[in-house]
């Protein structure tokens, strides 16, 4: 993409309505525009990042054997009355009537709808286990939407649902999801800590939230610093192995890490004092096991091995995809702008032409641009007739992890400048070497 042809409405001044860094930088970088309170249009740069996160989630869900579907955004209230949640959910649910005076609602979550799909098509234990998921827009009518996409009313969410014959089978699905989420967040450049949490209106006994530590987090968290030393890395997991999945759950949840809702001061005081921390965190996902709560209420049974009907055991598993973007920015920025991790950057690198219109500089930039795209990479070429300082400021603001700077002076010596956004360090090298280095960086994280 050439910046002269791209829609990137950056702002020079900080928007007055933005209270936290991610909201401010997403508005300034031209990623979103508010349409109504807590509701945003996703502009090209923001939409590209949203799709990057979505693709990572799809890849990791497929790796674990989970199957993607798409459910409607508008649901019938009848299903929610059947489960008993229609009146319990409260004012966060946006209710409406259609032209035939039928009660409808804008999806805040989809346990009822997925249970209805299951009971209509699955009748035997031989069809289990089964995990279905979707990535879809949801709506919860927050009383005070704020902090941009971090606490909006409309949000993009991955929600998955497992169906199993027994509690033991369903807890394996729970563990399997914990593993997939650890892999997913690390690929996004995040350390998301699983913390014992409260189930809220979803229900159930077993639940962990995944939180990213940040000063602007909405949750107060208590944790043992030993949890921040844990990484999943590139280890290979057999998702059918109960032993492997259970071992990873124990590894990542045996150290103390809880939100304020489930904090236990006596347990926390057993952690060595030098490792005890009180901080704030941003919730970016949650997994639940809720047993037969919905299957019993809605008649979702299968024929068991003995021929008798058995209510299935269920769990649900969510990732807040749109709020993840805010969390990444809160965790990765400086006073110049965003710093995207390589795994989720909207463009793999920026190309800055210091003298647009100079034949040699234009030719060199076009050659670098062509070489990168031929390798399957997606560079953003700033070919505007702007001063160099303005081009650098734009690149720093939108946060591309690497920048190749091309100018007549360097080209006389056969070099361009490759700059790392995170460290600010620059290195002179030939244009060919810069292309090779960028390709090697992304090959390592593929």
């Amino acid at each position: 993409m050439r910046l002269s042809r791209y829609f990137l409405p950056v702002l020079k001044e900080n928007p007055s309505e933005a209270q936290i860094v991610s909201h401010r930088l997403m508005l300034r970088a031209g990623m979103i525009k508010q349409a109504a309170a807590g509701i945003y249009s996703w502009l090209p740069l923001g939409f590209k990042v949203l799709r990057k996160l979505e693709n990572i989630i799809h890849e990791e869900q497929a790796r674990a054997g989970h199957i993607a579907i798409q459910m409607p955004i508008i649901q019938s209230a009848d299903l929610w009355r059947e489960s008993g949640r229609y009146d319990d959910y409260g004012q966060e649910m946006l209710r409406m009537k259609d032209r035939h005076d039928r009660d409808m609602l804008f999806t805040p979550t989809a346990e009822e709808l997925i249970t209805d799909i299951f009971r209509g098509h699955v009748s035997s234990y031989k069809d289990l286990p089964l995990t279905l998921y979707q990535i879809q827009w949801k709506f919860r009518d927050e009383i005070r939407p704020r902090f941009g996409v971090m606490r909006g009313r409309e949000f993009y969410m991955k929600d998955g649902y497992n169906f199993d014959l027994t509690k033991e089978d369903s807890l394996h699905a729970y563990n399997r999801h914990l593993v997939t989420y650890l892999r997913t967040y690390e690929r996004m450049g995040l350390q998301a800590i699983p913390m014992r949490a409260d189930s809220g209106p979803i229900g159930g006994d077993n639940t962990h939230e995944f939180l990213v530590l940040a000063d602007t987090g909405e949750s107060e968290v208590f944790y043992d610093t030993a949890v921040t030393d844990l990484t999943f890395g590139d280890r290979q997991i057999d998702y059918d192995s109960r032993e492997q999945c259970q071992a990873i759950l124990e590894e990542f949840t045996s150290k103390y890490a809880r939100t304020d809702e489930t904090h236990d001061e006596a347990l926390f005081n057993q952690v060595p004092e030098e490792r005890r921390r009180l901080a704030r965190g941003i919730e970016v996902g949650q997994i639940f096991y809720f047993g037969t709560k919905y299957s019993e209420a809605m008649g979702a049974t299968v024929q068991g091995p003995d021929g008798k009907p058995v209510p299935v055991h269920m769990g649900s598993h969510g990732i807040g995809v749109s709020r993840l973007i805010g969390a990444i920015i809160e965790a990765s920025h400086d006073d110049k702008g965003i710093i995207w991790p390589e795994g989720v950057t909207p463009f793999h690198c920026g190309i800055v032409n210091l003298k647009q219109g100079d034949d040699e500089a234009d030719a060199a930039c076009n050659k670098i641009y062509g070489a990168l795209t031929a390798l399957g990479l997606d560079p953003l070429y700033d070919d505007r007739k702007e001063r160099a300082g303005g081009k650098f400021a734009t690149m720093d603001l939108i946060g591309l992890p690497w920048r190749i700077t091309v100018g007549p002076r360097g080209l006389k010596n056969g070099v361009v400048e490759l700059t790392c956004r995170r460290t600010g360090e620059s290195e002179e090298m030939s244009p060919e070497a810069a292309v090779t280095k960028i390709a090697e960086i992304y090959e390592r994280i593929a």
Side-chain angles (χ1 to χ4, degrees):
M1 179 57 65
R2 296 170 186 268
L3 195 47
S4 62
R5 301 176 189 173
Y6 197 56
F7 182 57
L8 186 68
V10 299
L11 305 176
K12 292 184 179 179
E13 303 297 328
N14 286 325
S16 59
E17 72 271 25
Q19 297 175 291
I20 63 172
V21 169
S22 59
H23 190 194
R24 183 166 67 247
L25 290 177
M26 289 182 77
L27 290 170
R28 285 198 58 212
M31 295 179 67
I32 56 172
K33 184 181 188 304
Q34 182 169 302
I39 302 173
Y40 293 88
S41 296
W42 288 79
L43 307 183
L45 194 74
F47 186 65
K48 275 179 75 75
V49 180
L50 202 63
R51 284 288 174 261
K52 286 282 184 83
L53 301 186
E54 185 178 355
N55 289 340
I56 291 172
I57 292 168
H58 278 306
E59 289 168 6
E60 293 304 326
Q61 290 297 299
R63 191 194 298 269
H66 305 159
I67 304 166
I69 63 170
Q70 191 72 69
M71 291 182 278
I73 296 173
I74 304 297
Q75 297 186 30
S76 167
D78 291 342
L79 285 174
W80 286 67
R81 290 192 176 105
E82 199 175 337
S83 72
R85 282 207 302 172
Y86 186 66
D87 294 322
D88 293 344
Y89 206 87
Q91 291 185 319
E92 282 191 357
M93 181 189 288
L94 183 63
R95 296 164 169 86
M96 65 197 83
K97 289 183 181 288
D98 67 11
R99 67 193 301 167
H100 301 291
D101 204 36
R102 290 176 296 218
D103 290 324
M104 311 294 285
L105 59 97
F106 196 122
T107 301
T109 182
E111 282 79 7
E112 285 81 1
L113 193 55
I114 195 70
T115 304
D116 184 54
I117 291 171
F118 177 87
R119 70 184 177 182
H121 296 284
V122 181
S123 58
S124 171
Y125 76 95
K126 294 178 182 178
D127 296 320
L128 303 180
L130 178 65
T131 295
L132 303 173
Y133 79 96
Q134 66 172 350
I135 302 178
Q136 182 208 57
W137 290 101
K138 304 274 193 306
F139 190 92
R140 293 177 189 163
D141 201 2
E142 290 272 357
I143 189 169
R144 291 188 193 86
R146 53 198 173 118
F147 302 153
V149 301
M150 299 289 286
R151 188 171 287 183
R153 293 192 293 165
E154 186 184 59
F155 54 96
Y156 204 43
M157 180 179 174
K158 175 265 170 183
D159 50 316
Y161 307 90
N162 67 280
F163 301 88
D164 292 278
L165 183 62
T166 67
K167 179 177 181 179
E168 292 71 26
D169 294 341
S170 198
L171 288 176
H172 171 56
Y174 184 96
N175 296 350
R176 189 173 67 242
H177 275 86
L178 183 133
V179 176
T180 68
Y181 281 18
L182 291 171
R183 284 186 58 95
T184 297
Y185 294 128
E186 283 197 13
R187 284 187 61 186
M188 294 173 180
L190 285 172
Q191 181 176 51
I193 303 170
M195 298 193 179
R196 178 69 64 181
D198 181 66
S199 62
I202 302 295
D205 299 324
N206 292 63
T207 180
H208 281 86
E209 285 179 351
F210 291 79
L211 288 103
V212 175
L213 299 177
D215 292 339
T216 52
E218 72 271 63
S219 300
E220 191 173 46
V221 298
F222 302 80
Y223 66 97
D224 179 343
T225 57
V227 302
T228 60
D229 297 328
L230 299 172
T231 57
F232 192 87
D234 58 359
R235 66 179 93 179
Q236 298 301 308
I237 296 297
D238 177 2
Y239 285 101
D240 292 328
S241 169
R242 298 191 179 202
E243 293 76 16
Q244 284 190 40
C245 292
Q246 178 67 28
I248 291 172
L249 176 129
E250 291 174 359
E251 177 185 351
F252 280 84
T253 63
S254 59
K255 306 296 183 186
Y256 193 93
R258 296 195 179 198
T259 63
D260 53 352
E261 294 170 320
T262 58
H263 175 56
D264 186 319
E265 192 68 24
L267 282 177
F268 189 52
N269 287 336
Q270 293 177 22
V271 177
E273 186 175 359
E274 67 275 10
R275 298 203 326 240
R276 282 182 233 151
R277 293 291 186 277
L278 167 62
R280 303 203 69 80
I282 300 168
E283 181 198 342
V284 292
Q286 191 162 3
I287 57 177
F288 302 85
Y289 162 73
F290 41 70
T292 58
K293 172 182 170 70
Y294 296 93
S295 56
E296 287 185 342
M298 299 181 67
T301 62
V302 295
Q303 187 181 58
D306 59 1
K308 296 179 180 179
V310 180
V312 292
H313 288 254
M314 294 174 58
S316 71
H317 321 91
I319 292 179
V321 186
S322 50
R323 78 164 11 220
L324 259 174
I325 296 180
I328 291 169
I329 293 171
E330 291 291 334
S332 186
H333 68 273
D334 60 16
D335 57 359
K336 296 178 181 178
I338 302 164
I339 305 174
W340 292 115
E342 278 88 351
V344 299
T345 179
F347 295 95
H348 293 111
C349 76
I351 303 170
V352 171
N353 188 339
L354 292 180
K355 194 171 184 181
Q356 194 69 38
D358 178 86
D359 291 343
E360 190 177 4
D362 291 355
C365 287
N366 286 328
K367 188 175 180 181
I368 292 168
Y369 182 85
L372 289 168
T373 54
L375 292 169
L377 297 171
D378 189 11
L380 178 64
Y381 172 21
D382 191 344
D383 60 341
R384 300 171 301 162
K385 291 188 176 180
E386 290 272 345
R387 59 183 181 82
K391 291 187 175 187
F392 290 146
T394 297
M395 285 293 175
D396 285 341
L397 174 62
I398 66 175
L400 307 186
W402 297 92
R403 185 185 76 225
I404 299 174
T405 305
V406 181
R409 183 179 302 176
L411 290 173
K412 287 181 181 177
N413 298 318
V415 297
V416 296
E417 189 176 70
L418 180 65
T419 303
C420 174
R421 173 71 179 88
R422 185 168 299 280
T423 65
E425 295 176 357
S426 296
E427 184 180 358
E428 289 188 340
M429 60 185 68
S430 70
E432 295 78 14
V435 169
T436 298
K437 184 164 183 177
I438 293 293
E440 289 173 346
I441 289 167
Y442 287 101
E443 187 177 354
R444 289 197 297 268
I445 65 169

